[in-house]
Amino acid sequence: MTLWQGRLPDTVPAVRLFCDSFELDRRLYAADIRGSIAYARALGRAGVLTRGEVDAIVRALERIAVEFRSGAFVAAPGDEDVHTAVERRLGELVGSELAGKLHTGRSRNDQVATDLRLWLLSEIPAIRDGLLSLGEALVAVAEEHLGLIMPGYTHLRRAQPILFSHWLMSHFWRFSRDLARLEGFTVRAAVMPLGSGALAGNPFGVDREALAAELGFEGAAENSLDAVSDRDFVAEFLFIASLTGVHLSGLAEDLVLFSSPEFGFLELDERFCTGSSLMPHKANPDPLELARGRAGTLIGALCGFLSVLKGLPTGYNRDLQEDKGALFTAVDSLALMLPLFAGIVRTVRVRPERMAAALDEEMLATELADYLVEKGVPFREAHRAVGGLVRRARELGVSLGELPQEAYREAHPAFDDGVHGVRDFARAVARRRSRGGTAPERVRGQIELAKRTLRERRGDG
Ligand code: ARG
């Protein structure tokens, strides 16, 4: 039995096979039922349903929710999607005459757009919590190891010494922006389409503001035609998820590299690694690699869904049903990856001796140039002079510290005996004390600020 049996013959099986979405969208059941309960009450207030009718519908819908939750809900052959399935079951429980009244003035177009927003809004606290946990983990490890120096890289070549905590906090700030984006998004997404009907609005005097308040929305959509076709919230969430995925993949890549025996700065807790089916000795960082890959899948979901939206004619079009697969992938991925990364970060073993061993003297070349600058030499001239020194040391096969003093004087007359004092990694780090720099007191400042914002956000949760 279909919703349109008055008008159309039975569809051929291939149409059903291709178009039905119940197996995918059944997870919207709680949102669908919440929306229907609120709509039944709104119809009651508008005088379309009697109080007794509203009560009967609400009781039956609550029972259907229990059936879904317990796994007892049995799909029927005609259940095209979750909305049809709930409506069919409601008819079985209260009679099709009363069940049929619930759809007065409502279309699946405003219904599905409402359900999807309700569902997404209900998933956001878990994602927010995951971002907070990951942020807390990064900050905790940064605080624990404050002072530890590691090589900082550009182009994946040793560049300048930085604090290990500075590297950790660089990842923290990315996720902090993701959190801010998610919070801004939550407000924009909390706009209710329900009461828009198929496209033109509701003719039964339903009070949409009251309905929106009952469902926890910030307000009701201003334009019914826009409301039924608007999936901006899906695209925006997919973008936020993609960018968070990109950030996770960047952290994953750093962790994979730094925990490789070649770097050896870190060791991953083996409970977060998986083995090889052939090589008995392996402990591989599979979760990190899979997360790095998943970022690609998330970007694909974003691009794919934007392509679905591009050029659609105004009004509901069935193309929009593609929103769910993309959104479910994004939500599920973040909900799994964020706590996993928090666990990986918290349990990582730090190897200070390996970091120290990787501090190559060439990483102090900038200090030598800055030394000349302090003597009044223009930076470009100093850069050239130290570049020559580095080349000289390489030719002789010695470190910068092993070069004879004449080599320094030859490179630039402003070099004097004081130069050797600057070849010090801790000094190089400590000098970078302007805001945002890697000096210990600045990194401590970052950590304090991060802890404060995390605490505030935990409080708001
Ligand atoms: N399953 C549909 C979707 O997800 C529900 C809306 C169907 N509306 C329609 N006019 N066929 O978009």
Side-chain angles (χ1 to χ4, degrees):
M1 203 162 75
T2 59
L3 298 173
W4 49 84
Q5 57 176 343
R7 163 70 181 82
L8 294 176
D10 285 347
T11 40
V12 301
V15 169
R16 298 287 317 278
L17 282 172
F18 181 56
C19 299
D20 285 10
S21 57
F22 180 67
E23 283 316 317
L24 182 66
D25 62 29
R26 61 179 299 152
R27 62 190 291 188
L28 299 178
Y29 79 85
D32 190 73
I33 289 171
R34 239 181 102 199
S36 285
I37 288 175
Y39 193 67
R41 294 196 173 121
L43 286 178
R45 288 192 293 269
V48 175
L49 295 176
T50 66
R51 174 162 304 192
E53 287 176 327
V54 173
D55 288 346
I57 287 176
V58 169
R59 248 180 287 118
L61 285 170
E62 281 167 350
R63 176 167 160 192
I64 297 171
V66 172
E67 290 176 359
F68 268 101
R69 209 173 309 130
S70 68
F73 188 89
V74 188
D79 292 348
E80 187 187 327
D81 51 24
V82 66
H83 329 289
T84 342
V86 171
E87 192 178 338
R88 187 259 314 153
R89 182 71 183 128
L90 183 66
E92 289 167 7
L93 294 175
V94 301
S96 50
E97 199 180 313
L98 178 54
K101 289 189 185 178
L102 178 60
H103 235 57
T104 310
R106 186 174 67 161
S107 156
R108 279 183 303 160
N109 299 353
D110 57 346
Q111 191 177 357
V112 70
T114 304
D115 289 5
L116 201 57
R117 284 178 193 256
L118 279 177
W119 177 82
L120 182 54
L121 291 169
S122 74
E123 296 292 319
I124 283 178
I127 294 171
R128 187 171 181 273
D129 186 68
L131 278 166
L132 287 171
S133 302
L134 177 54
E136 285 158 356
L138 288 164
V139 170
V141 180
E143 189 167 36
E144 190 187 335
H145 296 279
L146 188 60
L148 181 59
I149 299 175
M150 73 183 285
Y153 296 83
T154 66
H155 310 267
L156 203 52
R157 305 286 194 268
R158 288 174 204 169
Q160 291 177 337
I162 57 170
L163 288 190
F164 171 61
S165 305
H166 198 53
W167 167 72
L168 282 166
M169 292 305 291
S170 75
H171 285 284
F172 170 85
W173 294 114
R174 295 173 166 193
F175 295 113
S176 166
R177 292 191 294 274
D178 293 332
L179 189 56
R181 266 185 284 273
L182 190 68
E183 289 168 352
F185 165 80
T186 306
V187 177
R188 281 187 291 284
V191 175
M192 185 193 69
L194 195 58
S196 295
L199 72 164
N202 189 293
F204 292 98
V206 162
D207 178 349
R208 294 187 63 224
E209 287 307 327
L211 189 52
E214 182 168 350
L215 286 171
F217 285 105
E218 301 274 327
E222 287 299 336
N223 180 309
S224 63
L225 184 56
D226 174 42
V228 291
S229 49
D230 175 13
R231 294 293 183 280
D232 290 6
F233 72 102
V234 176
E236 188 179 353
F237 183 83
L238 291 174
F239 171 73
I240 293 169
S242 296
L243 193 53
T244 306
V246 167
H247 292 157
L248 287 170
S249 87
L251 175 56
E253 174 60 10
D254 278 0
L255 289 169
V256 169
L257 274 178
F258 291 166
S259 66
S260 69
E262 283 72 9
F263 279 80
F265 299 166
L266 303 171
E267 268 172 28
L268 300 176
D269 186 314
E270 294 197 340
R271 290 170 305 162
F272 291 96
C273 298
T274 54
S276 155
S277 56
L278 190 148
M279 297 165 284
H281 66 291
K282 297 277 274 175
N284 296 326
D286 287 38
L288 294 173
E289 296 166 54
L290 188 54
R292 201 172 52 191
R294 185 62 60 84
T297 304
L298 293 176
I299 295 166
L302 169 64
C303 296
F305 190 61
L306 284 172
S307 313
V308 169
L309 293 181
K310 182 196 159 298
L312 281 185
T314 306
Y316 177 84
N317 297 276
R318 191 65 177 268
D319 316 45
L320 294 176
Q321 186 168 292
E322 295 289 304
D323 56 6
K324 285 167 221 57
L327 194 59
F328 294 165
T329 302
V331 168
D332 294 346
S333 299
L334 290 184
L336 289 171
M337 290 192 293
L338 290 167
L340 183 61
F341 271 67
I344 291 174
V345 168
R346 268 191 194 280
T347 56
V348 89
R349 213 186 115 212
V350 181
R351 308 272 312 271
E353 73 290 0
R354 294 293 304 256
M355 293 182 192
L359 292 174
D360 174 332
E361 273 215 24
E362 283 189 3
M363 298 172 68
L364 298 171
T366 318
E367 304 314 294
L368 296 178
D370 289 355
Y371 182 76
L372 291 180
V373 167
E374 275 159 21
K375 305 253 166 212
V377 180
F379 182 74
R380 281 292 161 237
E381 187 183 324
H383 185 288
R384 212 174 317 119
V386 177
L389 263 182
V390 171
R391 197 171 49 207
R392 192 72 205 285
R394 287 195 168 206
E395 279 161 10
L396 297 174
V398 298
S399 72
L400 285 171
E402 288 162 351
L403 275 179
Q405 186 64 23
E406 312 89 74
Y408 280 86
R409 264 193 239 289
E410 266 166 44
H412 202 287
F415 271 128
D416 54 22
D417 287 349
V419 67
H420 296 294
V422 311
R423 284 188 302 96
D424 179 331
F425 293 102
R427 182 183 181 278
V429 166
R431 282 180 64 225
R432 286 162 173 86
R433 63 176 71 84
S434 359
R435 191 182 175 121
T438 195
E441 71 259 35
R442 282 299 183 182
V443 177
R444 179 178 299 286
Q446 285 183 58
I447 292 174
E448 292 310 324
L449 176 62
K451 282 167 72 175
R452 210 158 49 236
T453 64
L454 285 168
R455 261 197 312 272
E456 279 163 19
R457 284 177 145 127
R458 277 289 183 209
D460 290 349

